[in-house]
Amino acid sequence: MSPTQNEPQPGALAHLQSLPSWLAGRVAARGRSLVAEAIAAEGLKLQHYAVLAAAVDEGPLAQADLVRRLGFDAKDVVLLLNHLEREGLLVREPDPCDRRKNAVTATPEGVRLLRSCAHLADEANERLLAPLDPDERRTLLALLTRVVQG
């Protein structure tokens, strides 16, 4: 009889929950939840935050380019833009490069809110990583970066 036959085998659920892909997904879900909860205080959802961040970083940005950069459905982006525009956080104007298209630009209030959300997201991630000491955090981030870059 081989040694593995004598050793207790983990159950299927325990095996699944021990997989790195499962653990990484659970950590990601917890992190997203913490950030979403934090920025909800500012009246935004994660998707709003992403659209606003792209508009701040790359604006004026053609609406179609925004859809491609974020990988969101075009109809969803229109709804997100409508909300952000109603709130005075961005404007859509004719694209200076192609007047047939809309370009998205963050307003000063949108830039201010993005900074606030970034601070809130940092605090949420501090809570996420609270069980780790500073060296463990650096190691985890370095390892995650390597895995993502594949």
Side-chain angles (χ1 to χ4, degrees), residues 11 18 39 50 52 78-79 85 88 98 102 114 135 137 142 144:
S18 71
I39 67 171
L52 190 56
V78 169
L79 296 173
E85 194 169 37
D98 184 346
N102 279 329
L114 182 68
D135 287 338
R137 289 177 185 207
L144 289 172

Side-chain angles (χ1 to χ4, degrees), residues 31 33-36 38 119-129:
S33 177
L34 288 168
V35 172
H119 178 73
L120 293 168
D122 287 342
E123 288 177 346
N125 276 275
E126 283 296 317
R127 289 193 304 280
L128 176 69
L129 298 178

Side-chain angles (χ1 to χ4, degrees):
M1 203 186 282
S2 72
T4 56
Q5 290 175 331
N6 291 332
E7 297 172 12
Q9 297 296 311
L13 183 58
H15 176 258
L16 173 65
Q17 292 174 334
S18 71
L19 294 173
S21 54
W22 175 276
L23 293 169
R26 298 301 300 152
V27 170
R30 183 162 182 260
R32 276 191 306 275
S33 177
L34 288 168
V35 172
E37 181 181 305
I39 67 171
E42 293 287 357
L44 294 184
K45 294 182 179 177
L46 283 172
Q47 297 89 344
H48 294 117
Y49 183 26
V51 169
L52 190 56
V56 167
D57 282 354
E58 309 206 16
L61 182 64
Q63 196 168 311
D65 291 337
L66 181 65
V67 168
R68 279 189 289 280
R69 280 204 176 86
L70 293 175
F72 293 174
D73 183 87
K75 292 179 215 119
D76 293 338
V77 171
V78 169
L79 296 173
L80 295 165
L81 290 172
N82 289 345
H83 174 84
L84 293 168
E85 194 169 37
R86 270 193 315 274
E87 297 297 316
L89 303 172
L90 59 77
V91 293
R92 284 180 281 194
E93 300 173 320
D95 187 328
C97 298
D98 184 346
R99 309 286 290 165
R100 297 168 297 171
K101 298 179 182 177
N102 279 329
V104 178
T105 307
T107 65
E109 178 61 19
V111 172
R112 184 212 59 77
L113 184 62
L114 182 68
R115 286 187 188 127
S116 175
C117 286
H119 178 73
L120 293 168
D122 287 342
E123 288 177 346
N125 276 275
E126 283 296 317
R127 289 193 304 280
L128 176 69
L129 298 178
L132 306 178
D133 68 38
D135 287 338
E136 290 172 323
R137 289 177 185 207
R138 281 189 289 280
T139 300
L140 176 63
L141 292 174
L143 293 171
L144 289 172
T145 300
R146 281 178 47 201
V147 169
V148 166
Q149 292 172 345

